[in-house]
Amino acid sequence: MGSLSEIYSKLPDSMDDLPPPPSAEAVAQADYRARHWQSPVTGRLKPGSDAHKRAMAEMFRDTFNPYRPSVIEWPKLDPETLHKIVSLPIWDIAVQTEGKARLRMAAYAALVSDPDVKDAISRNAWEENRHKEVLAKMVAAYNIPMAPEPPYIEPKDPEWAYLVTGFSECVDSFFAFGMFELAKRSGFFPQELTDTFEPIMQEECRHILLFANWLAWYRATMPWWRRPYFELKVWAVWGFLAYERISLVRTVDDKGEVHTQDNNFTVTGTKDVANIDITLPDFMDLCLQEDERRFSGYDSRLLRPTSAPFIARMLRGAGRCWEFASEVVKANRR
């Protein structure tokens, strides 16, 4: 595929190679720009049009934050908080997921001929690599035991791999928004630590915004005869993700200890990151609110991911029905 610098669209291979921020004001301004963007083009941004494609690519380029999450001062944790962090069943999956994502996106970007789209997906690959570096630095800072990373193999079908990564991020990020906010409100982790990961959460918002608009652009511009096969592939991806989410992954660290990793932690792990009891419907409400808040600064004409919010509304409705039925049963027993 060529060197990393070629794949990542002229960005440096490592986040450590980025220029240091000139001042605290520059960091604050870059953080604001990463969360707010409006296209200067007037009128509708119709998927498949040049205006929509350019807006999608410009949004991702203009909102790039060169300073955060690269600038990190890991806070010193008390023993209890450190134990909470180390005990979370996510670190192997988190690091490996980012490693797979950077390779899959780079592999797909190498096949894209449109320069605007190629640049955006290449930058997305670079940012996934930065996330992996951040997680690696955190693991090292807090001596979190990890299983050896498997070799990252270039996918045989880059389009399939990109779809799996894109849809997976859309689901995981949506629920992670709610979980992250719950952790902040509960004070379960020190503010310094949640502040460190805040720009990563917003960067994930940008990633799924790009994917949703790429998907609409790709569907609108592909030849009609390819569309049925592509839609079958999309359904197959969702089937694969559903199977993946109900499974647990077991890994062995360098000391021979077995770790069980939860693929569905962003939905099931609320008690591991907060000391607040919250019902499933209320958690779905929180996820929907956080999803809307994080997207609110970007041009409303760009498409938002819809699958995870739809799933959340279905779960919320089912949860409310269950709560109502439970109350009725309790009342009849009195």
Side-chain angles (χ1 to χ4, degrees):
M1 290 191 299
S3 69
L4 286 177
S5 59
E6 292 172 346
I7 294 169
Y8 298 150
S9 264
K10 301 180 182 179
L11 288 169
D13 286 1
S14 169
M15 72 178 193
D16 293 331
D17 297 327
L18 289 168
S23 64
E25 183 180 0
V27 173
Q29 290 176 351
D31 187 67
Y32 180 85
R33 289 194 300 270
R35 300 167 188 272
H36 301 84
W37 185 87
Q38 293 291 319
S39 171
V41 176
T42 59
R44 183 189 173 198
L45 296 176
K46 182 181 178 181
S49 67
D50 285 342
H52 173 257
K53 179 198 69 174
R54 286 194 298 270
M56 170 181 67
E58 289 169 3
M59 176 280 299
F60 203 76
R61 183 181 65 248
D62 294 347
T63 57
F64 171 70
N65 191 334
Y67 308 130
R68 299 184 70 193
S70 301
V71 179
I72 299 174
E73 294 181 5
W74 296 107
K76 186 175 181 180
L77 304 178
D78 61 78
E80 182 181 357
T81 301
L82 181 61
H83 178 71
K84 294 175 186 176
I85 296 292
V86 173
S87 300
L88 292 177
I90 59 171
W91 300 118
D92 290 340
I93 283 182
V95 172
Q96 293 173 23
T97 296
E98 299 294 355
K100 291 176 183 177
R102 64 175 180 175
L103 180 61
R104 290 172 177 177
M105 292 184 176
Y108 183 71
L111 301 181
V112 176
S113 57
D114 185 281
D116 292 324
V117 179
K118 186 183 190 74
D119 179 74
I121 298 177
S122 297
R123 289 174 179 273
N124 199 163
W126 188 93
E127 291 184 4
E128 298 293 356
N129 188 60
R130 177 162 64 171
H131 289 184
K132 184 178 185 299
E133 290 187 42
V134 168
L135 288 171
K137 289 178 183 294
M138 176 184 175
V139 165
Y142 297 133
N143 295 315
I144 298 174
M146 297 283 291
E149 291 185 58
Y152 296 107
I153 302 172
E154 185 175 345
K156 295 180 179 179
D157 184 348
E159 182 182 79
W160 166 272
Y162 183 57
L163 288 169
V164 168
T165 296
F167 282 120
S168 180
E169 283 198 332
C170 286
V171 173
D172 290 340
S173 296
F174 174 84
F175 293 108
F177 295 158
M179 184 175 290
F180 187 73
E181 179 62 19
L182 191 64
K184 288 171 63 178
R185 293 182 183 181
S186 71
F188 203 57
F189 300 121
Q191 183 178 343
E192 296 88 348
L193 192 60
T194 54
D195 287 348
T196 296
F197 278 93
E198 168 57 33
I200 295 179
M201 300 304 298
Q202 192 62 34
E203 208 157 69
E204 291 294 350
C205 179
R206 293 172 53 255
H207 291 181
I208 62 178
L209 181 61
L210 172 64
F211 179 77
N213 283 273
W214 166 84
L215 185 62
W217 170 83
Y218 193 53
R219 278 174 164 151
T221 56
M222 72 170 53
W224 65 268
W225 49 268
R226 280 205 62 222
R227 186 69 179 269
Y229 174 73
F230 179 76
E231 296 303 334
L232 285 174
K233 181 181 281 191
V234 168
W235 279 103
V237 167
W238 279 112
F240 170 77
L241 292 177
Y243 170 78
E244 188 180 51
R245 288 305 185 275
I246 62 175
S247 64
L248 296 176
V249 177
R250 287 177 173 81
T251 55
V252 181
D253 64 26
D254 54 4
K255 297 181 181 178
E257 297 180 0
V258 177
H259 300 263
T260 300
Q261 306 284 300
D262 189 352
N263 272 325
N264 211 28
F265 183 80
T266 53
V267 179
T268 62
T270 54
K271 291 184 179 180
D272 291 314
V273 300
N275 51 12
I276 300 174
D277 288 330
I278 186 170
T279 65
L280 178 64
D282 288 342
F283 180 59
M284 293 301 104
D285 269 337
L286 181 60
C287 291
L288 288 164
Q289 293 164 10
E290 282 300 293
D291 184 69
E292 182 178 355
R293 181 182 70 83
R294 288 194 178 274
F295 279 112
S296 63
Y298 305 115
D299 197 313
S300 60
R301 294 170 296 172
L302 291 174
L303 301 175
R304 272 60 171 162
T306 57
S307 297
F310 174 78
I311 293 170
R313 293 185 181 96
M314 294 290 288
L315 290 173
R316 181 181 62 184
R320 297 291 187 214
C321 290
W322 176 260
E323 288 177 349
F324 177 76
S326 298
E327 290 300 321
V328 170
V329 171
K330 290 178 182 178
N332 289 334
R333 287 177 176 175
R334 292 171 187 160

